[in-house]
Amino acid sequence: MDDKPSPGAVSESSEHLFSFGVIADIQYANLEDGYNYQGTRRRYYRHSLLHLQGAIEHWNKESSPPCCVLQLGDIIDGYNAQYKASEKSLELVMNVFQRLKVPVHHTWGNHEFYNFSRDYLTNSKLNTKFLEDQIEHHPETVPTGSFYAYHFVPFPKFRFILLDSYDLSVLGVDQSSPKYQQCLKMLKEHNPNLELNSPQGLSEPQFVQFNGGFSQEQLNWLNEVLTFSDTNQEKVVIVSHLPIYPEASDSVCLAWNYRDALAVIWSHECVVCFFAGHTHDGGYSEDPFGVHHINVEGVIETAPDSQAFGTIYVYPDKMMLKGRGRVTDRIMNYRKEKPFPFLV
């Protein structure tokens, strides 16, 4: 059975162009159920793999299959490192993903870095940069730094951009490296707590060790890609593990320099929505510039009798998120085009 939104949900003139899947915070581990750090929310470590299997079976059965799936980070839980099971657990989850009949794009979250170094991830199956698209004659849109980010075109006039929200981070980096020292200094300047994962007393609670940020180099690259997309009249979807908009997220889960990322995005016309994970709770807000910020509910805190994934159906005038289980349905209208004064 096809799960596209019913015809009554969209205008008569809207034609379905393509769709894509989203899933976040699988955090698989071969462990009994546990709780989050505050002891307030249950985590279903083993069952998360069954939820992933259910999502993949659903996507594979759709009569109009999605063009791709966006995996929003934290694919296995940090506990795996403690039990020396990181590689085994990752292999298990990746074997399940192999059943998916369409490409999957992986973003990296804090739990990737609890288990693996950045060098390891770069050489692993979680690096899906080989799926990127190049823009001819625009070398400035090719990422050249050490950050893990790229863009691709799933359908004409639509561009997806994966960002590296742990580009600035103390996680997964060699502690003797200048980058680690620079990031530790930045973190400690904003967080005087002995426990750097604690936001207690902070005026900017996002400055904790389990978050990270975007380097100026990455933001400059993002600006170049968005400049091209503006000129080429493309619609853009941005993907990151960490959210960047306070109204859609718990403030302790935001990227360190989320304001810098917003400033770049808000200086362009082309961005439709920003998908993130990390919060587990989900969240949504449309910002003053008409960008939709969606935090996808985490698989890890989803009870066995529910689900947590979504499919986004793309139309000429909007995107519609059809959520499964805990994931909420959303309608994301494109912002109205501003008339060009020189055409008058």
Side-chain angles (χ1 to χ4, degrees), residues 29-102:
N30 185 19
L31 293 174
E32 297 296 326
D33 295 350
Y35 286 88
N36 63 342
Y37 300 116
Q38 293 77 29
T40 55
R41 298 208 302 259
R42 198 171 183 88
R43 293 188 168 177
Y44 304 90
Y45 295 107
R46 282 200 188 104
H47 204 91
S48 64
L49 202 62
L50 296 177
H51 281 320
L52 174 60
Q53 287 171 359
I56 288 172
E57 284 168 14
H58 175 89
W59 285 318
N60 284 344
K61 283 177 187 169
E62 288 214 41
S63 61
S64 296
C67 68
C68 65
V69 168
L70 307 175
Q71 189 276 112
L72 302 176
D74 285 4
I75 197 169
I76 64 171
D77 196 86
Y79 272 128
N80 285 289
Q82 198 175 310
Y83 293 99
K84 297 189 168 32
S86 301
E87 291 189 348
K88 186 179 179 182
S89 289
L90 179 61
E91 186 180 3
L92 201 59
V93 178
M94 295 305 277
N95 284 343
V96 173
F97 264 114
Q98 280 191 327
R99 300 175 197 170
L100 185 64
K101 294 176 182 176
V102 299

Side-chain angles (χ1 to χ4, degrees), residues 13 20 34 102 105 114 127-128 158 202 215 242 291 300 304 307 343:
S13 60
F20 60 96
V102 299
H105 296 264
Y114 296 154
N127 182 348
T128 45
F158 287 85
L202 303 187
S215 66
L242 295 179
V291 179
I300 182 63
Q307 249 299 3
L343 293 178

